[in-house]
Amino acid sequence: MIPAPFEYHRPDSVEAALAIISQHGDDARVVAGGHSLIPMMKLRMAEVPHLVDLQAIGTLKGICIDGSRVHIGAMVTQHELIVDAALAKAAPILREAALQIADPQVRYMGTVGGNVANGDPGNDMPGLMQALDARFTLQGPDGTREVAAREFYEAAYMTAREDDEILTQVSFDAPVGGQSYEKQKRKIGDYATAAAAVILTKTDGKVSGASIAMTNLSDTPVWSEAAGAALAGSDCGKAAVDAAVAAMLGDIDPGEDNRGPVEFKKHAAAVILRRAIARAWDRA
């Protein structure tokens, strides 16, 4: 279908974009890569009188690694995550996850900021950012603030970002230890039926730190503190992994849809988490 008529804006700075949003209020929407909003506009599920394209804002692009701190601009594409050698060394889990998002055509346009900002529970980056304990920088008319990824998601498509704010950057400490992103999906390019991000550190043959997050198994991404705690201090043997899986299953709340019934999704989540833990432990 063809979207309803709209006014197209292409500002060259965050300040200019915020001014347009302030001027037009609820009639203005920001677009990054466009893979979520544009299809909804074409289906007439969203009517946007003023579309604000962020592609020309240079300050929203680029990857910077400052010591152990990683900063990623909101307009960095999934493809750029894949090909950046320094990022692949600092946080290989990002490259591993980005390679499993959709297909190359989508990855050339899809952005980190768009993936994390719209609150889609099926997107891959939100859960991963929770596992990394990332922080999101939001800029609005009243200035700039940071929100932890673990506190950002409130419900499906509802986040802590205000309507007059733009997500400008993602930052996190480069993870240490073993990392793994595992994903089960029906076909290439699809959302996950279940996906797991796992980061493990090992000291003297024991788990000294564990961070586990799941994707598309609730209305929001799920960082399972209990699952990580179940692995802490263990040698990552069967009993500890079983306990971590049980804890994760207690934290998620999948719904039945065209990817399967609830019990199948829980089964898939358990299988995927076991794989992710095993791979992260081997890499630790």
Side-chain angles (χ1 to χ4, degrees):
M1 293 180 64
I2 300 173
F6 62 89
E7 192 80 18
Y8 176 75
H9 305 267
R10 192 179 174 90
D12 59 4
S13 69
V14 174
E15 291 74 18
L18 291 171
I20 296 169
I21 295 169
S22 177
Q23 178 183 355
H24 297 289
D26 292 341
D27 285 343
R29 289 283 298 276
V30 164
V31 63
H35 291 295
S36 298
L37 182 58
I38 299 302
M40 292 180 67
M41 292 174 64
K42 292 176 73 174
L43 291 169
R44 301 291 180 106
M45 295 174 66
E47 186 173 338
V48 182
H50 293 270
L51 189 66
V52 185
D53 189 348
L54 304 181
Q55 290 286 342
I57 303 179
T59 57
L60 297 182
K61 302 177 182 180
I63 298 170
C64 173
I65 302 174
D66 181 13
S68 63
R69 193 71 177 170
V70 178
H71 305 272
I72 302 174
M75 293 301 290
V76 169
T77 66
Q78 307 296 341
H79 174 74
E80 289 170 324
L81 293 183
I82 293 168
V83 300
D84 191 287
L87 182 63
K89 183 177 180 180
I93 193 172
L94 273 174
R95 182 177 190 275
E96 187 166 69
L99 281 167
Q100 299 181 63
I101 294 176
D103 52 52
Q105 185 176 5
V106 169
R107 295 194 291 263
Y108 273 109
M109 289 296 295
T111 64
V112 174
N115 198 280
V116 302
N118 72 341
D120 186 339
N123 283 348
D124 291 270
M125 288 291 157
L128 174 52
M129 293 303 170
Q130 289 190 338
L132 289 165
D133 197 15
R135 298 188 67 82
F136 300 153
T137 302
L138 304 171
Q139 187 171 338
D142 297 326
T144 298
R145 66 188 179 107
E146 284 192 354
V147 179
R150 294 173 186 173
E151 300 173 357
F152 187 71
Y153 300 97
E154 299 170 348
Y157 301 101
M158 295 182 64
T159 71
R161 183 184 66 83
E162 300 293 342
D163 290 340
D164 58 356
E165 290 182 316
I166 294 173
L167 191 150
T168 61
Q169 181 180 256
V170 172
S171 59
F172 54 88
D173 289 330
V176 296
Q179 308 158 42
S180 177
Y181 189 80
E182 294 286 329
K183 179 176 180 179
Q184 193 276 334
K185 51 189 177 181
R186 298 175 301 174
K187 57 183 176 60
I188 296 297
D190 195 14
Y191 284 113
T193 300
V198 175
I199 301 171
L200 297 178
T201 53
K202 180 191 296 187
T203 303
D204 297 328
K206 303 289 185 181
V207 176
S208 52
S211 184
I212 293 172
M214 306 297 294
T215 291
N216 215 14
L217 292 162
S218 290
D219 285 345
T220 64
V222 175
W223 178 68
S224 181
E225 184 175 8
L231 292 177
S234 77
D235 61 358
C236 227
K238 183 180 183 303
V241 173
D242 286 348
V245 169
M248 176 273 294
L249 290 173
D251 285 341
I252 63 173
D253 185 25
E256 182 172 349
D257 57 21
N258 60 3
R259 290 178 180 81
V262 170
E263 286 309 310
F264 170 72
K265 289 187 172 184
K266 288 183 176 180
H267 170 75
V271 171
I272 289 300
L273 180 55
R274 290 181 192 278
R275 290 178 184 173
I277 291 172
R279 183 162 294 183
W281 185 242
D282 286 343
R283 294 169 172 173

